[in-house]
Each structure stands twice: as structure tokens, then as C-alpha cells.
Amino acid sequence: MIVTPDNATLEQAADLLRQGKCVGIPTETVYGLAGDGLNPEALARIFEIKQRPHFDPLILHVPSGYDIETLVTDVPEAARKLMAAFWPGALTLVLPKRPDVPDLATSGLPSVGVRCPDHTVAQELLRIFADVLAAPSANRFGRISPTTAHAVREELGDAVPLILDGGPCQRGIESTIIDCTEGRLRLARPGSLEVEEIESVVGPIERTRRDGPPNAPGMLKNHYAPRTTLYLSHSPFEPEMTRLEGYGFILMREGGIPHRSVFELSSRGNLIEAGARLFQLMREADARNLRCLIAFPVPDTGIGAAINDRLKRASSGSVVWRQGEWIME
Ligand code: TXA
Ligand code: MG
């Protein structure tokens, strides 16, 4: 059931959470499937509802002002600076966990991902529940993250008893994840908070990716995927591409030739707006039951890097446009 957050529904949500049940919650990035972060039964339920493999650890969400040393054994100076600068906000820090953080939350890893969401509904619920909430994106494993309450229901149906409707997510792309457990800072997942902003506070961070499990699940090669096969175009958009039937296009701007199968991320060419609309547009494009979708990368700066990362992971390969045809690369 989708409900408007007010005192009564927030209490109801907190009650469900105390019983080990799950609740759909809005955050500034994407909607989360929240459960009691320290209750193994609730954590198991999250994995079951999402059909998520157990090697994929969860992020613990904490209220503003929370003392994270309750959850972690060490907070490096750089991590403290980042929390001071960006929390509440779209930044997840991976830190060494305390033994009482359940292994189910961290998939057996010695570290835990923690974030403080910047959304009044999430914060209100955390305050009433008075403990930490595990909240992965509220989609079935591998699918597009939901950025509206309706998208949560579309993804998870009746498996979630309550979804708090906090409106469309302002950022629309998951949090940026920084791993702080390796003696230096490493970008584990590009996200809504620009890496450049992070670096302006703590200096250069490592961007190399560590391969092999356990890796950020959002970093799996195929993730965030629509049902319709999506290809990444290595050719720039041309209006003539829309002449072929059955193709849909996801791109920054259509450039003055509107077409019913062209899905425009931001008519102003604004990357923040594009990020906020990306997953919803992918859902709308998916609902058209087209033969395939062609996505065009956006400028790779700021949040554009995270948008391109998601497009690439949603895609089944790349294509080029040659002599009026799409050719697989
Ligand atoms: O914006 C977000 O972060 C959203 C909202 C709901 O807060 N949540 C989200 O959760 O994106 P999820 O479960 O879809 O992605 C969690 C990511 C995973 O890719 C996981 O690998 C990474 O966080 N992660 C969690 N704990 C980790 C750890 N100990 N080490 C490395 N990566 C970790
Ligand atoms: Mg996810």
C-alpha cells in the first residue's frame, strides 16, 4: 500500500520495522527497501523480497547526528571530513564493522556501508524507529532502481506491506560509495555525489576498480537493466535514426525533432536533471515494449560519469550507426 507520510503512517511504518517487516522509503537518491539493520530476520526478508544474492552487502542508513562508532571500529580522519561535509547526503562510506553488525547485512565482509540520507521522510522514520535501517534500492535484483513510490510497487508488488510516498527522488541515482578500509580512499561506486566534490574536501581518491566478488553489486557488469534490450550507441544521435520502427532512444536532448520513441533526459542539457530523470525514463521506455532501446552517453563530467556508468551496466553491448543501420560492435 502506498501512503502519504504523516504522523500516523510513520508510526505504522516504524511498527512494521520493529516486527522485522520491510517498508518502502523515499531517499534523495532512489527509493529504498528498508528493514531493521540489526535484525537478521528483517535482513533475510530484504534479500528474499529483492531476490538478491547473498554476496551483495546492504547499506545501513543512520539518522543525522548518529554516532557511527556504534557500528564501526575505526573512522579515519578523511572519513570524518567527508561526513562533516556531505552528511546528510548521497555519500556511502565503507568502514570496518563492529562484531554486532549482523553478517547478513555485510554479506560476511569485515566492513559495512553506512550513509545518512538527505530526505525528511527517511530522517523522520529513522528518528521514530530510533535505530539503523538497512535499505537497498527497492527493485528486484538487477533491475532499474525506483525513483517514485509507484515504481516501488511496480517492482515489488504486495511483497512490501507499506510504501511511504515522498514524491519523486531529487537526485535519481544511487549514492556514491567510498571505501575507507584500505588505508586510502577508493571510489567503489560512482553516484549522485560528484567525485570532484569529494576530492575538493579530501584530495585525490583512487578510482581503480577492484574486481571479483565481493564487489559492489551495483558494480556488476549487468545491472540497472530494463526488460527491453538496451544498447549503448557509440555514434551521435541523428534524427534519421528514428525512421526504423521499433527502436527507442534515450538521450540528453532530441534537438528539436520530437518523436514518440525519443526519451529526452534534459531538454536544457542539464546533467543534474538528467540524473534525476534517468531511471524513470528507462521505465517509461521499457513500458513501450519496443524491439530495443538505444542509449547515448551524456557528457562524462560530474554526475554525468554516474549516468554513463548506469547506462553502460543497463546495456547488453554497444552499437554504431552505419549507412542507415545499427551494427553491433
Ligand atoms: O543511494 C543509495 O545508496 C540507495 C538508497 C536506498 O540509499 N541504496 C542503494 O543500495 O543503492 P543497494 O543495495 O542497491 O546498493 C548497495 C551497494 C552495493 O553495491 C554494495 O556492494 C555496496 O553498496 N556495499 C555495501 N556494503 C559494502 C561493503 N562492506 N563493501 C563494499 N561495498 C559495499
Ligand atoms: Mg541497487
Side-chain angles (χ1 to χ4, degrees), residues 1-276:
M1 189 173 48
I2 297 180
V3 296
T4 304
D6 57 25
N7 287 345
T9 53
L10 283 164
E11 287 291 351
Q12 192 188 350
D15 272 345
L16 287 166
L17 293 167
R18 286 183 201 110
Q19 294 163 33
K21 304 255 167 66
C22 296
V23 172
I25 64 162
T27 82
E28 80 280 33
T29 58
V30 300
Y31 273 71
L33 176 64
D36 182 341
L38 303 179
N39 174 351
E41 191 193 320
L43 297 169
R45 189 165 275 136
I46 291 177
F47 281 95
E48 185 186 308
I49 294 176
K50 275 190 60 104
Q51 296 166 5
R52 176 171 173 133
H54 282 267
F55 62 77
D56 187 353
L58 305 174
I59 294 173
L60 295 185
H61 294 62
V62 302
S64 281
Y66 183 84
D67 176 11
I68 70 158
E69 290 188 46
T70 314
L71 302 173
V72 306
T73 54
D74 178 42
V75 187
E77 192 48 39
R80 277 189 205 285
K81 280 194 194 158
L82 290 178
M83 284 189 283
F86 300 114
W87 277 12
L91 173 70
T92 295
L93 298 175
V94 173
L95 294 160
K97 84 174 189 84
R98 283 201 183 276
D100 34 337
V101 173
D103 284 334
L104 251 183
T106 67
S107 300
L109 291 176
S111 59
V112 60
V114 187
R115 113 168 170 95
C116 179
D118 185 14
H119 194 291
T120 46
V121 175
Q123 282 294 336
E124 240 342 76
L125 182 62
L126 282 163
R127 194 185 59 74
I128 297 172
F129 180 61
D131 219 326
V132 302
L133 291 173
S137 51
N139 50 280
R140 291 200 194 267
F141 185 71
R143 288 259 308 145
I144 308 169
S145 304
T147 53
T148 63
H150 283 93
V152 177
R153 194 171 55 190
E154 191 181 298
E155 280 292 317
L156 304 177
D158 295 334
V160 212
L162 195 75
I163 302 166
L164 294 168
D165 188 351
C169 299
Q170 291 213 324
R171 292 203 178 238
I173 293 197
E174 295 84 352
S175 60
T176 303
I177 302 179
I178 301 290
D179 191 332
C180 312
T181 63
E182 297 168 3
R184 56 196 174 337
L185 301 182
R186 187 177 60 82
L187 178 67
R189 175 177 76 181
S192 279
L193 182 66
E194 298 180 1
V195 181
E196 294 86 340
E197 264 199 79
I198 296 173
E199 290 184 324
S200 74
V201 173
V202 288
I205 60 176
E206 195 179 315
R207 301 183 193 206
T208 53
R209 303 218 167 123
R210 199 183 37 186
D211 279 329
N215 210 336
M219 298 308 288
L220 291 177
K221 251 183 111 191
N222 289 302
H223 212 77
Y224 312 103
R227 293 190 178 89
T228 314
T229 311
L230 183 146
Y231 296 101
L232 207 58
S233 173
H234 283 174
S235 308
F237 179 69
E238 296 170 31
E240 111 171 30
M241 291 169 178
T242 60
R243 267 201 248 123
L244 296 179
E245 275 302 305
Y247 287 75
F249 305 90
I250 297 175
L251 41 68
M252 187 64 119
R253 348 154 68 149
E254 38 81 351
I257 304 168
H259 184 277
R260 62 179 295 278
S261 296
V262 172
F263 300 88
E264 198 179 35
L265 291 166
S266 167
S267 56
R268 297 177 290 139
N270 179 297
L271 282 171
I272 309 250
E273 184 183 37

Side-chain angles (χ1 to χ4, degrees), residues 269-291:
N270 179 297
L271 282 171
I272 309 250
E273 184 183 37
R277 285 165 49 79
L278 176 68
F279 287 144
Q280 188 55 31
L281 268 193
M282 277 169 66
R283 263 171 209 286
E284 284 168 24
D286 207 10
R288 294 276 184 84
N289 293 316
L290 291 158
R291 207 172 115 201

